[in-house]
Amino acid sequence: MLMRKCVGMYRENAAVICDGRVGTYEELYERACRLAQALAGLGIAPGDRVALLADNCFEVAEIKVALALGGFVSAPLYVQNTADANRYLLELIGARALIVQSHHLEGLTPALEGLEGLDEVIIIGGGGDGGHDYERLLAAACDADPLVPVAAEDVHQIRFSAGTTGKSKGIAHTTAGWLAMGNELALAIPRLGEDDRYLAAGPLTHAAGLPFWPVLAAGSALVVVPTFDAARVLELIERERCTVTLLVPTMVQMLLDHPDAKTRDCSSLRTVLYGAAPITERTLREALAAWGNVMYQIYGQSEALPATVLTPRHHRPDGDERERRWLRSAGRATPNAVVSILDEDGEELPAGQVGEVAVLSPGGMSEIWADPQVTAERVLPDGRILSRDLGYLDEDGFLYLTDRKEDMIISGGFNIWPAELENALVEHPAVHSAAVVGIPHPKWGETAVAAVILRPGEQAGEEELIAWSRERLGPVRKVTAVRFVETLPTSGVGKVLRREVRQLWSTDDSAISGA
């Protein structure tokens, strides 16, 4: 077990730093052993699913380690979900136990009534009739390592899809697969060491937790931000001399837009991973100007990751036309991944042709939980996983994503990629961000419409932005209606929930009937 090795090598190193609290590797290991023993004492067996509903906190790190030590299956829920949505996920995986922060339990409690199989609730920051108090449970437990044998093929974690187009699915990863994912990620970026400090700016239970085991394996420290706040993140980078972080594009933009971005010393950063959603070229250029050439775009998804990386070598905004084009790509395959583009018949397509992205990755899922039919639809006989993303490879092996297969808009027989329109819209000086979706149209079948957030103090009208999109992409691929909003609905990993964006328009909206 990796943690046993780490505590032997880095016993006195800082492992977790959160809200002024510092825990060493020895302390992290001891508390994790106590939790693993406590869960076993409650009758939770190896292989049982243990769900976690928590914001970033000190305890999340030790929970992740404890579940691995005890051979339990980790299943992190989304704090942004409704109570009913999280109940659905608990039912889906047959969770035996739930570890939850006290402030999330109140809203969830009614949804737990009558939920069969959920035998134990452990509450961080509280207890009483609702369940076991987390700290009391640890204090009463033995601190010996449970020494549970864990096989490579045992399920280690179930991640849930963001549900951007429908209900979330459980995505299972084995112990070997999840460790291989971490190793592949570590190969794609500069080598981590004992002097590194990884800033977990987003949820450790989701995308920000991908480097968790590589960080511990190197003896580095996890600097955990309880809730993302741009000022707080910039302050922590400066004070803790953070060297590595992972951000979604909305976080990148919020950091760059904050007034403290010009005064805080972020020179310690040597690796900024970004991904999980498309980034605009303008945001990327601003990040390179602010932090230097330290940007690493990672493309993958819960089913198969990592798949590709765009390294600093290929972030060249001032290069020639070919080099500038790289900025619009997702990079090239990571060292042990294979990326191919397939047509509807599963045949490989040549460079330049759009098809479905298929990925053979060390971090590929083992199955879609409890759904062999969908598993068979997504996993090819040779192990490649169909991503549902559309894109193409250029002659140099760079991957260019055009959109999700489900998000493609077909208007009058023409394919329209939302990401292409979104990139065009954010090039307008007044536009901060945009989300494009297709809605029904009486003549063309579908038409493209946009929800737009304007930059503070800037103005733009609907007709102006429609004309802007027409000028850049032509009369077919333009947007035909714009709604101005203050925020865009996003999932827990920062992906726009397009189904909610569509709700801004009614199916008989007269504003687009003559488009």
Side-chain angles (χ1 to χ4, degrees):
M1 170 60 191
L2 181 61
M3 190 61 205
R4 298 183 185 108
K5 172 186 174 183
C6 292
V7 74
M9 296 172 64
Y10 314 123
R11 187 174 301 274
E12 296 181 0
N13 285 16
V16 185
I17 300 168
C18 181
D19 259 1
R21 181 179 173 186
V22 180
T24 64
Y25 275 75
E26 183 172 28
E27 291 163 340
L28 173 63
Y29 177 59
E30 187 238 334
R31 285 176 61 84
C33 287
R34 287 181 179 275
L35 178 57
Q37 293 279 13
L39 287 166
L42 292 172
I44 310 302
D48 283 345
R49 276 72 66 200
V50 178
L52 171 62
L53 184 63
D55 304 311
N56 269 3
C57 58
F58 193 92
E59 290 82 359
V60 167
E62 61 198 26
I63 291 167
K64 289 170 73 73
V65 175
L67 297 182
L69 288 171
F72 311 114
V73 179
S74 170
L77 305 176
Y78 288 108
V79 298
Q80 294 88 350
N81 270 1
T82 64
D84 287 342
N86 277 327
R87 178 192 170 99
Y88 165 76
L89 298 179
L90 291 166
E91 285 183 308
L92 176 68
I93 62 169
R96 287 284 318 283
L98 168 67
I99 304 175
V100 57
Q101 282 177 315
S102 56
H103 62 273
H104 287 305
L105 180 60
E106 183 178 353
L108 184 62
T109 298
L112 299 182
E113 292 181 9
L115 182 58
E116 295 183 5
L118 185 66
D119 298 325
E120 305 294 344
V121 176
I122 300 166
I123 307 167
I124 302 170
D129 295 336
H132 305 279
D133 179 270
Y134 182 89
E135 287 298 334
R136 289 180 183 174
L137 204 61
L138 262 65
C142 169
D143 65 358
D145 190 321
L147 297 175
V148 173
V150 178
E153 66 273 14
D154 288 345
V155 176
H156 166 69
Q157 182 170 168
I158 299 175
R159 296 169 63 80
F160 297 108
S161 62
T164 55
T165 58
K167 281 193 171 183
S168 295
K169 293 180 174 59
I171 301 160
H173 289 267
T174 64
T175 299
W178 199 248
L179 287 175
M181 179 282 299
N183 292 337
E184 187 72 1
L185 185 62
L187 281 174
I189 64 174
R191 184 169 181 173
L192 295 166
E194 290 183 66
D195 294 329
D196 279 300
R197 294 198 163 190
Y198 170 69
L199 180 72
L204 268 173
T205 51
H206 295 94
L210 298 180
F212 181 82
W213 292 110
V215 166
L216 293 185
S220 312
L222 291 156
V223 180
V224 181
V225 182
T227 303
F228 181 82
D229 174 80
R232 177 67 169 151
V233 168
L234 291 166
E235 185 265 332
L236 280 171
I237 292 172
E238 180 180 85
R239 177 160 60 84
E240 299 293 344
R241 307 307 295 156
C242 296
T243 56
V244 184
T245 191
L246 186 151
L247 305 168
V248 298
T250 51
M251 291 178 178
V252 174
Q253 191 63 61
M254 290 170 73
L255 292 174
L256 296 170
D257 287 344
H258 197 277
D260 292 355
K262 293 181 172 58
T263 59
R264 290 294 185 185
D265 179 7
C266 296
S267 60
S268 59
L269 287 174
R270 66 187 186 94
T271 303
V272 176
L273 294 155
Y274 67 95
I279 194 168
T280 67
E281 292 179 45
R282 181 168 66 187
T283 297
L284 191 52
R285 288 173 181 271
E286 290 174 359
L288 291 170
W291 301 327
N293 199 359
V294 298
M295 306 295 287
Y296 288 78
Q297 181 184 171
I298 295 289
Y299 164 69
Q301 53 186 207
S302 291
E303 293 88 342
L305 54 92
T308 65
V309 59
L310 187 71
T311 68
R313 174 186 177 86
H314 300 119
H315 284 79
R316 298 185 182 181
D318 299 320
D320 58 31
E321 182 179 348
R322 173 169 165 265
E323 292 169 338
R324 290 196 304 273
R325 191 178 68 214
W326 294 340
L327 293 177
R328 299 194 294 273
S329 81
R332 295 195 282 197
T334 58
N336 297 295
V338 177
V339 176
S340 50
I341 307 296
L342 306 182
D343 64 16
E344 292 291 341
D345 297 321
E347 298 297 323
E348 233 173 285
L349 290 169
Q353 290 195 25
V354 173
E356 184 169 0
V357 180
V359 178
L360 183 64
S361 170
M365 66 176 179
S366 58
E367 63 176 315
I368 299 294
W369 185 261
D371 200 331
Q373 180 180 344
V374 174
T375 300
E377 291 171 356
R378 296 292 301 276
V379 183
L380 299 176
D382 61 5
R384 286 182 296 178
I385 294 173
L386 296 174
S387 69
R388 314 306 293 164
D389 285 335
L390 296 172
Y392 64 92
L393 292 168
D394 72 7
E395 61 279 4
D396 297 314
F398 286 86
L399 174 65
Y400 292 80
L401 298 172
T402 52
D403 241 306
R404 291 289 290 173
K405 195 168 185 176
E406 295 87 349
D407 294 336
M408 184 177 70
I409 302 164
I410 303 177
S411 183
F414 291 93
N415 293 344
I416 300 174
W417 314 117
E420 185 178 36
L421 269 170
E422 288 162 359
N423 273 326
L425 287 168
V426 297
E427 289 302 319
H428 189 286
V431 175
H432 177 275
S433 52
V436 172
V437 296
I439 62 173
H441 187 275
K443 182 177 181 181
W444 305 116
E446 284 187 298
T447 189
V449 296
V452 167
I453 300 175
L454 294 177
R455 288 181 172 270
E458 299 289 346
Q459 292 185 339
E462 180 179 24
E463 292 303 322
E464 179 183 350
L465 294 183
I466 291 172
W468 177 274
S469 69
R470 183 190 296 112
E471 290 169 6
R472 278 148 185 78
L473 296 174
V476 172
R477 291 184 170 85
K478 69 181 187 301
V479 293
T480 57
V482 175
R483 294 286 185 272
F484 295 99
V485 297
E486 294 185 0
T487 60
L488 293 172
T490 57
S491 70
V493 295
K495 294 183 179 180
V496 172
L497 297 171
R498 296 187 188 274
R499 67 177 185 274
E500 294 188 19
V501 174
R502 288 188 187 93
Q503 294 171 8
L504 294 170
W505 286 267
S506 62
T507 55
D508 60 349
D509 196 322
S510 60
I512 54 88
S513 61

